[in-house]
């Protein structure tokens, strides 16, 4: 797998949060006639009403993204090259032992 650059990953998280906000609020405005009038003012008020939820969605998406992409890197730094050491030293010893 190819390593991802942090800026690209965070940018993708922001783009997904923004697109979800735009699409979901537009859908609410377009589908539910009794909530907002089908005017420019109605669409604007629908987006304004969604701003507090958007802030929390962005914060949650960024926190989750950083946690999910930083955890493997952090584990790799803490353990060094444990997988390579396991393959190099432990497997040959197990195969040459008399565990049959």
């Amino acid at each position: 797998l190819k390593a991802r650059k942090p800026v690209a990953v965070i940018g993708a998280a922001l783009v997904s949060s923004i697109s979800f906000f735009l699409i979901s609020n537009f859908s609410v405005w377009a589908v539910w006639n009794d909530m907002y009038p089908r005017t420019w003012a109605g669409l604007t008020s629908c987006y304004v009403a969604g701003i507090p939820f958007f802030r929390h969605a962005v914060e949650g998406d960024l926190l989750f993204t950083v946690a999910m992409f930083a955890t493997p890197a952090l584990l790799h730094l803490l353990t060094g090259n444990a997988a390579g050491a396991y393959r190099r030293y432990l497997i040959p010893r197990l195969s040459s032992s008399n565990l049959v």
Side-chain angles (χ1 to χ4, degrees), residues 22-68:
L22 294 174
I23 293 169
S24 63
N25 282 322
F26 182 82
S27 298
V28 167
W29 173 77
V31 172
W32 289 328
N33 297 334
D34 55 339
M35 288 188 75
Y36 301 102
R38 292 211 180 163
T39 62
W40 184 255
L43 180 61
T44 304
S45 64
C46 182
Y47 281 119
V48 168
I51 289 174
F53 302 100
F54 176 64
R55 176 179 169 234
H56 295 297
V58 169
E59 290 172 354
D61 289 345
L62 290 178
L63 180 67
F64 183 78
T65 300
V66 168
M68 290 297 110

Side-chain angles (χ1 to χ4, degrees), residues 74-97:
L74 182 62
L75 289 175
H76 180 70
L77 287 174
L78 291 175
T79 61
N81 194 2
Y86 175 78
R87 282 190 295 261
R88 182 179 295 151
Y89 298 110
L90 189 58
I91 292 176
R93 289 182 186 165
L94 289 176
S95 62
S96 64
S97 67

Side-chain angles (χ1 to χ4, degrees), residues 7-26:
V7 174
V9 171
I10 291 172
L14 286 173
V15 167
S16 66
S17 295
I18 292 168
S19 63
F20 178 79
F21 174 77
L22 294 174
I23 293 169
S24 63
N25 282 322
F26 182 82

